Amino acid sequence: MAVPILKQGGYLIASIQAALTDSDVVQLQDDLVERVGEYRSRGIIVDVTALDVMDSFASRALRGLAHMTRLRGAETVIVGIQPEVAFAMVQLGMNLEDVHTALDLEEGLAFLDAQTKEPGDSDR
């Protein structure tokens, strides 16, 4: 199942709508890393609001994605982690170490605006 990736200004937004297989997660990772260079994106938002479970593979893949895209010059923020998912991740010892998270898409966009603001930019 392909995850739609939208381009919004200098950002890419990937909204995961249903549970993904491991190969879907790897494909999303590859697509986002490639598009950062293609579109010269400064930020990525991965919206996981629709997920009611996140396994250890998906968690590691999202962490890897954030590290890869940072190396390519883009900040990544994961938004919409449901309370039950956060609770389960902590209980199972899974984490998104060194990965930015935000409550929702609006906060994610505000975070990226603050992180990617270039010297001399006026308020957006």
Side-chain angles (χ1 to χ4, degrees):
M1 169 180 161
V3 175
I5 300 172
L6 306 172
K7 183 178 180 310
Q8 177 67 41
Y11 304 142
L12 296 174
I13 302 172
S15 183
I16 300 174
Q17 299 298 315
L20 301 175
T21 65
D22 291 354
S23 61
D24 291 336
V25 172
V26 170
Q27 185 64 52
L28 173 62
Q29 196 177 42
D30 292 346
D31 290 347
L32 284 169
V33 171
E34 182 180 320
R35 290 186 190 184
V36 164
E38 182 181 343
Y39 296 126
R40 299 198 161 291
S41 300
R42 298 183 328 260
I44 296 171
I45 293 178
V46 180
D47 186 351
V48 297
T49 303
L51 297 183
D52 57 1
V53 67
M54 190 179 308
D55 66 16
S56 61
F57 182 82
S59 178
R60 283 192 316 274
L62 289 175
R63 189 173 58 232
L65 169 68
H67 293 173
M68 284 183 246
T69 57
R70 190 173 299 132
L71 289 170
R72 303 262 299 145
E75 286 296 325
T76 298
V77 61
I78 310 298
V79 304
I81 297 175
Q82 297 298 318
E84 308 81 37
V85 174
F87 180 79
M89 288 176 72
V90 169
Q91 293 297 313
L92 295 171
M94 297 170 15
N95 66 52
L96 292 173
E97 186 177 292
D98 299 330
V99 177
H100 303 289
T101 60
L103 186 60
D104 56 25
L105 183 59
E106 184 177 357
E107 284 189 18
L109 287 167
F111 173 82
L112 286 178
D113 284 345
Q115 291 293 310
T116 62
K117 192 169 190 173
E118 295 182 17
D121 279 356
S122 59
D123 289 338
R124 294 180 190 199

